[in-house]
Amino acid sequence: MKKLTLIPLLLLPLFGSDISYLNSIRQSVGLNKLQLNQDLDNAAQKHANYLVAHSVNSHYEKRGAKFYAQTPSKRAIKSGYTSKYIKENIATDVSSTKKAIDVLFSAIYHRFVFLDFAVDEIGVGIAKNSHNKVVKNAYVYDLGLSSVAKMCQQEYLTLEGVYYMQDLCKDSTKYIPKSDYEKAIKDIQSSNPKVVLYPNKDASGVIPAFFDEKPNPMPGYKVSGYPISVELNPSYFKDIKIKRFRLYDAKGMMIRAKLLRASNDPNKKLKDYQFAIIPLQRLDYDTTYKAYFEANTNRGRVKLKWKFHTLKFDKPTYKITKQYTQIKTKQDSIILYIKPRNRKDIITKIKIKGKVKIDFIDANTLQLSKIATKKTTLYVGDEEIHITKE
């Protein structure tokens, strides 16, 4: 039996850059920074170890190798965290910590966890498996709120006429005044911006596609466009009634998209203040898009207009839309974007004639490098691509 190699807390130097990248995104939209918490860090690491040991992607653990505790809150409590107020994100089989965060931001439910108004601390776990397993690496992010954790360390007298919350803390018999808990949540929400847009105003390098999420907000789709989202701070806005949420291309043409809100979310994950549109087709690279959002609220009408620009490569990029394509290039490295023909059209098989190194950028985009033969032919699904090196 091959020995499983795990990389645990020895990767701690990477966590700083990982948290820094996530914080740079949160701060770019006006949200508070997250601080590293060692108890959450340990809980996240234990779960990352479990995921690669069992080659799974799940928030839950079952008895067996590397078992620590069943749920995110139980793992946090076992690690010494005093509160069960825990939110968890997981990414598996990605190439880097940055890629893990990017992938989670492309998935709308996981994005809203990272952009939560009421979290201020985090733990990160990273584990890798060097052998041939289905899950080769795992990145786990556990988020909490320090003010709630501190409340769980205090003693409260139970008074008649006061509403209390139970089973919020490590000591499940501890009673926390509901008014204190609600104030802690509102205090941090109120310190954050009234509106959070993502991608943010004038953002650049935006990923153009969304592929998969569990649960899936786009049933029946294997590929669609990058979600555009709006959150209205619940400490400020109430009674939100959305009027319209639209996306336009550079020519002013409206992009067909699915509007997601709490009332029509197929997975019942969205809150009343969270809204998203997911384009039915993936967006193009190196293109400016404009978003428009309008809603009625207790504070009056909210109107938002902003633009963002999708990812641009520093290498020649070819958009493949025909069944037969000829490319002439002097470059040793190029990008091929095979535009999907339908909602399930992703690359599953490639045949090659010639010598070339191929890397997947995403499920519709390839990077070709070290093109060593004068003529190279790629068969990608129904597409036939001939590359002549000049």
Side-chain angles (χ1 to χ4, degrees):
M1 181 179 292
K2 292 183 178 179
K3 184 179 180 182
L4 184 68
T5 302
L6 300 178
I7 304 179
L9 293 175
L10 294 175
L11 285 179
L12 189 58
L14 285 177
F15 294 176
S17 60
D18 195 48
I19 294 172
S20 176
Y21 180 56
L22 176 55
N23 275 332
S24 72
I25 297 175
R26 282 181 61 91
Q27 290 181 290
S28 74
V29 298
L31 289 168
N32 62 288
K33 289 178 65 175
L34 303 176
Q35 300 296 325
L36 182 66
N37 178 282
Q38 290 298 330
D39 294 330
L40 293 179
D41 209 59
N42 184 63
Q45 185 60 51
K46 294 293 188 183
H47 192 49
N49 292 348
Y50 174 88
L51 294 179
V52 295
H54 292 270
S55 206
V56 295
N57 184 329
S58 173
H59 294 288
Y60 301 97
E61 295 184 9
K62 297 180 181 179
R63 296 281 178 183
K66 302 297 178 181
F67 174 82
Y68 190 62
Q70 184 181 15
T71 65
S73 60
K74 288 181 178 180
R75 291 190 290 273
I77 292 296
K78 189 172 180 178
S79 293
Y81 199 64
T82 55
S83 163
K84 295 179 182 178
Y85 182 92
I86 301 295
K87 303 183 180 188
E88 186 174 79
N89 266 348
I90 294 170
T92 56
D93 287 337
V94 291
S95 58
S96 66
T97 55
K98 180 180 181 299
K99 182 68 173 177
I101 290 173
D102 287 342
V103 166
L104 290 166
F105 266 92
S106 74
I108 192 61
Y109 302 134
H110 293 76
R111 175 191 299 178
F112 282 140
V113 171
F114 276 154
L115 296 181
D116 198 289
F117 288 105
V119 292
D120 64 2
E121 51 190 359
I122 187 172
V124 182
I126 303 173
K128 296 185 179 181
N129 167 22
S130 61
H131 300 295
N132 188 23
K133 289 279 189 174
V134 174
V135 172
K136 296 179 176 59
N137 56 56
Y139 298 79
V140 179
Y141 306 87
D142 286 340
L143 294 82
L145 182 57
S146 60
S147 56
V148 173
K150 289 176 182 176
M151 283 169 32
C152 287
Q153 300 172 31
Q154 300 175 17
E155 295 296 331
Y156 294 92
L157 295 175
T158 52
L159 303 174
E160 190 173 340
V162 176
Y163 290 97
Y164 292 88
M165 299 180 66
Q166 193 178 6
D167 204 28
L168 178 66
C169 304
K170 182 176 183 178
D171 179 358
S172 59
T173 64
K174 183 183 286 289
Y175 288 86
I176 302 296
K178 185 179 180 182
S179 59
D180 287 13
Y181 171 79
E182 291 175 344
K183 182 178 183 302
I185 300 297
K186 188 171 183 178
D187 282 349
I188 189 167
Q189 287 177 338
S190 300
S191 70
N192 277 311
K194 294 176 182 177
V195 177
V196 170
L197 312 175
Y198 201 86
N200 197 14
K201 180 180 178 182
D202 297 324
S204 60
V206 175
I207 298 170
F210 161 66
F211 293 100
D212 191 24
E213 183 173 17
K214 293 180 181 179
N216 191 353
M218 296 288 284
Y221 282 76
K222 289 186 177 180
V223 56
S224 56
Y226 194 74
I228 316 304
S229 62
V230 173
E231 289 183 281
L232 301 182
N233 195 320
S235 72
Y236 187 80
F237 293 105
K238 307 292 182 187
D239 304 321
I240 303 167
K241 306 294 182 184
I242 189 169
K243 302 295 291 182
R244 54 185 60 86
F245 193 175
R246 293 172 181 169
L247 184 68
Y248 300 88
D249 66 15
K251 296 180 181 179
M253 298 293 292
M254 189 171 74
I255 305 295
R256 292 180 63 220
K258 178 179 180 178
L259 170 63
L260 276 180
R261 51 189 170 184
S263 61
N264 74 342
D265 176 15
N267 302 296
K268 307 301 180 185
K269 294 285 187 181
L270 298 187
K271 306 292 194 302
D272 290 339
Y273 54 87
Q274 296 173 330
F275 306 90
I277 49 174
I278 304 180
L280 300 187
Q281 297 181 356
R282 61 175 290 161
L283 306 179
D284 281 330
Y285 288 110
D286 192 18
T287 302
T288 296
Y289 291 91
K290 296 180 180 179
Y292 179 79
F293 175 90
E294 184 177 349
N296 290 329
T297 75
N298 63 316
R299 301 279 183 167
R301 183 162 294 192
V302 175
K303 292 184 178 181
L304 304 168
K305 293 181 181 180
W306 75 104
K307 62 182 179 179
F308 60 89
H309 197 86
T310 52
L311 179 64
K312 179 181 179 180
F313 295 106
D314 59 0
K315 298 175 176 62
T317 304
Y318 299 89
K319 181 178 177 180
I320 310 300
T321 59
K322 300 178 181 179
Q323 194 166 352
Y324 182 89
T325 304
Q326 286 189 316
I327 296 171
K328 293 182 179 181
T329 182
K330 296 180 180 179
Q331 305 297 319
D332 291 325
S333 181
I334 62 174
I335 305 293
L336 298 182
Y337 163 46
I338 295 87
K339 184 178 180 180
R341 296 181 180 180
N342 56 60
R343 62 186 181 179
K344 295 184 178 182
D345 188 11
I346 59 175
I347 299 172
T348 57
K349 185 185 295 186
I350 302 174
K351 292 183 180 180
I352 307 168
K353 286 184 179 180
K355 292 184 178 180
V356 62
K357 182 178 185 294
I358 296 181
D359 294 298
F360 275 82
I361 293 174
D362 65 32
N364 299 112
T365 312
L366 305 173
Q367 178 174 311
L368 277 59
S369 56
K370 299 180 181 179
I371 303 173
T373 49
K374 186 174 181 180
K375 291 188 177 181
T376 303
T377 302
L378 272 66
Y379 301 92
V380 184
D382 294 331
E383 280 83 9
E384 187 175 327
I385 306 164
H386 293 267
I387 302 165
T388 301
K389 184 77 175 293
E390 294 182 323

